[in-house]
């Protein structure tokens, strides 16, 4: 019985270590999925397709919850893409994630291109606002 308990504990600890070690990759995947969904939704403003808008909007809604879990207290592993404020202002960050989720719900409620555009404007503002406060600025693009 002790061996089973020890093995279970060991697997739980190892699993947690792997999850924390790969937190940046998980966060990056969620953010890239959000970017892809927003790009797809931008294309639907002019050529509205309710089913496609709902599918892409659902990605945003689902990812709002994933964002909160991906940046939960204790996940700050010197992530090069996140500023310490994510964790030192956890309440503000979680409130921003909640607002993003609520605004993503409005995407699901869009019935035409204009209502989708309004919903996307709010979602884009959420993303930009959060990135300005909680994300490490990306490196400058090379001059062309």
């Amino acid at each position: 019985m002790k061996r089973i308990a020890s093995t279970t504990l060991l697997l739980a600890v190892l699993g947690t270590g792997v999850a924390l070690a790969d937190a940046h990759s998980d966060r990056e995947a969620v953010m890239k999925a959000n970017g892809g969904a927003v790009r797809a939704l931008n294309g639907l403003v002019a050529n509205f397709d309710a089913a496609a808008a709902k599918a892409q909007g659902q990605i945003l809604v689902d990812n709002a919850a994933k964002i909160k879990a991906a940046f939960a207290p204790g996940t700050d592993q010197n992530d090069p893409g996140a500023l310490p404020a994510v964790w030192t202002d956890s309440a503000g960050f979680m409130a921003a994630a909640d607002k993003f989720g609520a605004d993503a719900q409005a995407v699901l409620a869009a019935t035409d291109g204009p209502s989708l555009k309004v919903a996307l404007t709010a979602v884009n503002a959420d993303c930009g606002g959060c990135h300005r406060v909680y994300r490490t600025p990306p490196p400058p693009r090379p001059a062309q």
Side-chain angles (χ1 to χ4, degrees):
M1 188 63 139
K2 286 183 182 180
R3 179 176 272 179
I4 293 172
S6 296
T7 303
T8 302
L9 178 61
L10 178 63
L11 290 174
V13 170
L14 289 175
T16 301
V18 170
L20 290 177
D22 206 24
H24 175 74
S25 296
D26 293 344
R27 293 173 187 144
E28 196 172 60
V30 167
M31 296 303 172
K32 285 184 178 184
N34 284 346
V38 168
R39 281 189 298 280
L41 287 161
N42 281 328
L44 294 172
V45 168
N47 299 306
F48 187 75
D49 176 330
K54 287 196 186 317
Q56 296 302 316
Q58 191 62 53
I59 291 169
L60 299 177
V61 169
D62 293 345
N63 283 348
K66 290 177 185 176
I67 288 169
K68 290 177 75 170
F71 290 96
T75 63
D76 52 334
Q77 302 294 311
N78 295 320
D79 189 325
L83 292 173
V86 169
W87 295 278
T88 60
D89 179 25
S90 183
F93 181 82
M94 294 301 166
D98 286 339
K99 183 171 181 335
F100 171 74
D103 290 339
Q105 286 286 343
V107 170
L108 294 178
T111 57
D112 55 19
S115 62
L116 179 59
K117 184 175 181 176
V118 168
L120 277 175
T121 299
V123 165
N124 283 321
D126 295 338
C127 294
C130 197
H131 284 189
R132 278 188 293 282
V133 176
Y134 300 108
R135 180 180 181 212
T136 303
R141 293 183 181 183
Q144 293 185 8

